[in-house]
Amino acid sequence: MAAVRPQTLTWVCRHLEAGERVVGAEALHGGITAEVRRLTVETPGCGTRELVLRSYVKPFFVERAADSLGREAGALRLLAGTGVPAPELVGVDPGAEQCEYPSLLMTHRPGRTVLDEDEDQDADQDEDQDEGGDGNGDEGGALETRVALLAAQLVAIHAVRPLERPPTYEALTTADTVVVPPGGDAAAWAAAIGLIRHPAPPYEGRFLHRDFQPGNVLFDVPPTAPTRARITGVVDWAGASWGPTDLDVAHCCTNLALLHGPQWGARFAAAYEKAGGVLAGAADERRYWRVRDALAFSEEVAVVARPWQEAGRTELTTRLVAERLDAYVTGLMDGDATA
């Protein structure tokens, strides 16, 4: 059992119903920013239920935990009853006043991230609420099905109207922090870097997930009918923000481009609009947001690739991910991926 720290366990137990107790804990893998554990809770009558505990333990993230956990707790409260399949908030200790580290406790959503290319092998994976592992699929109907589901789910998220706006989005990448991949198209990257030196286009703000991508979406995929998949959960709301829908779309576009090939970025954007989502009207404005998001990945290619490799996508080496990022950025600057 992946032990829960004593103070944190005591805090968790304060949030349980009478007669319940924690009888198991399992570390969930795939995340970058936090430790995530699935807790098994025994209920009166010998039944069980599951909770998920997220704790920020690395110094860099501990310093930012109050903001991240505040955003996530606020988002989970907001989404309760909206139809968006998010976990329910159970408790939060953003300042580590009662736990060893800043922590959040939430309900467990059923389903799994789709990790491997082979659908039959996927069916054997544990149904984990991972923080950041990402899915994959074949290049045909199963992946197209999931992309359409992702797009429709993101449209539903953007339709949520909070009474109190979350903090405005942050775009930490600057023109001076971009890292051009070895062998990258120098002209395309120079043009892309020049693009984000300009002010952001005007936009009509919406509620954003801010890290919407396959690894933060849980699916139920029938083993013999992958095209009948359905979404059962959307997790990791620590970046919930207010900003342009294009930014959330751009982030999922980049993830899909790196996971499945550059063409899937444009396909996701098209699926989002087909599902009723509204993007910037001008092509240059769409390009701005997609380029900005893609360039952010340039600073952490190895960090992004590692959890994908650990999840079984061993072919997604740092080099291959960098090559796909280069191809995607080049396509954006050529105008092929923003129509």
Side-chain angles (χ1 to χ4, degrees):
M1 183 172 76
V4 179
R5 296 175 180 86
Q7 286 180 227
T8 303
L9 182 58
T10 299
W11 174 76
V12 168
C13 290
R14 293 195 192 108
H15 290 86
L16 301 182
E17 301 293 334
E20 293 186 332
R21 65 190 184 100
V22 176
V23 295
E26 177 186 358
L28 302 181
H29 302 288
I32 297 173
T33 61
E35 288 184 354
V36 183
R37 289 181 172 84
R38 180 173 58 186
L39 309 181
T40 301
V41 177
E42 185 178 78
T43 62
C46 298
T48 61
R49 67 186 182 105
E50 294 177 327
L51 299 174
V52 173
L53 173 69
R54 184 202 300 279
S55 297
Y56 289 84
V57 301
K58 297 178 182 178
F60 178 85
F61 297 111
V62 168
E63 293 177 2
R64 294 156 178 79
D67 177 69
S68 297
L69 293 180
R71 289 174 186 249
E72 182 153 29
L76 297 186
R77 292 189 187 103
L78 168 66
L79 294 167
T82 63
V84 175
E88 297 177 12
L89 179 66
V90 177
V92 61
D93 182 17
E97 296 176 358
Q98 302 177 65
C99 304
E100 285 88 346
Y101 294 98
S103 299
L104 183 143
L105 186 66
M106 58 190 143
T107 58
H108 177 269
R109 293 294 309 182
R112 58 187 174 84
T113 53
V114 184
L115 302 177
D116 302 312
E117 290 186 341
D118 183 83
E119 294 292 351
D120 292 332
Q121 185 176 354
D122 281 348
D124 296 329
Q125 298 293 328
D126 290 337
E127 294 185 352
D128 290 345
Q129 181 170 310
D130 293 346
E131 182 197 7
D134 290 87
N136 187 34
D138 59 77
E139 295 300 310
L143 179 54
E144 290 175 353
T145 295
R146 293 197 302 278
V147 165
L149 290 171
L150 288 168
Q153 184 62 76
L154 190 54
V155 171
I157 290 170
H158 292 161
V160 173
R161 297 292 183 264
L163 293 177
E164 182 177 346
R165 291 183 181 181
T168 301
Y169 77 92
E170 295 182 72
L172 301 179
T173 298
T174 70
D176 297 323
T177 59
V178 173
V179 179
V180 179
D185 186 316
W189 281 82
I193 292 169
L195 182 63
I196 68 168
R197 292 188 188 277
H198 295 286
Y203 63 86
E204 183 179 355
R206 288 287 184 269
F207 176 69
L208 307 182
H209 181 284
R210 199 61 183 93
D211 190 17
F212 186 84
Q213 40 94 358
N216 286 330
V217 179
L218 306 175
F219 287 92
D220 173 31
V221 184
T224 59
T227 58
R228 296 182 182 177
R230 62 185 183 91
I231 290 176
T232 57
V234 181
V235 300
D236 194 359
W237 294 88
S241 307
W242 187 260
T245 58
D246 282 83
L247 191 54
D248 255 0
V249 171
H251 190 64
C252 197
C253 285
T254 307
N255 274 274
L256 289 168
L258 301 185
L259 283 164
H260 304 297
Q263 72 277 14
W264 285 98
R267 291 184 185 182
F268 178 75
Y272 176 83
E273 290 191 288
K274 184 176 180 180
V278 178
L279 297 173
D284 59 342
E285 295 178 352
R286 300 182 184 201
R287 179 181 296 110
Y288 176 89
W289 296 113
R290 292 183 211 172
V291 167
R292 173 166 282 288
D293 185 82
L295 295 188
F297 279 72
S298 76
E299 302 176 35
E300 49 186 19
V301 171
V303 174
V304 170
R306 188 178 307 118
W308 293 343
Q309 296 162 8
E310 293 172 351
R313 296 294 306 280
T314 55
E315 82 282 8
L316 290 177
T317 62
T318 299
R319 178 177 178 178
L320 177 58
V321 172
E323 290 173 350
R324 287 185 173 180
L325 180 61
D326 177 52
Y328 182 57
V329 170
T330 300
L332 289 171
M333 298 315 298
D334 286 344
D336 297 334
T338 55

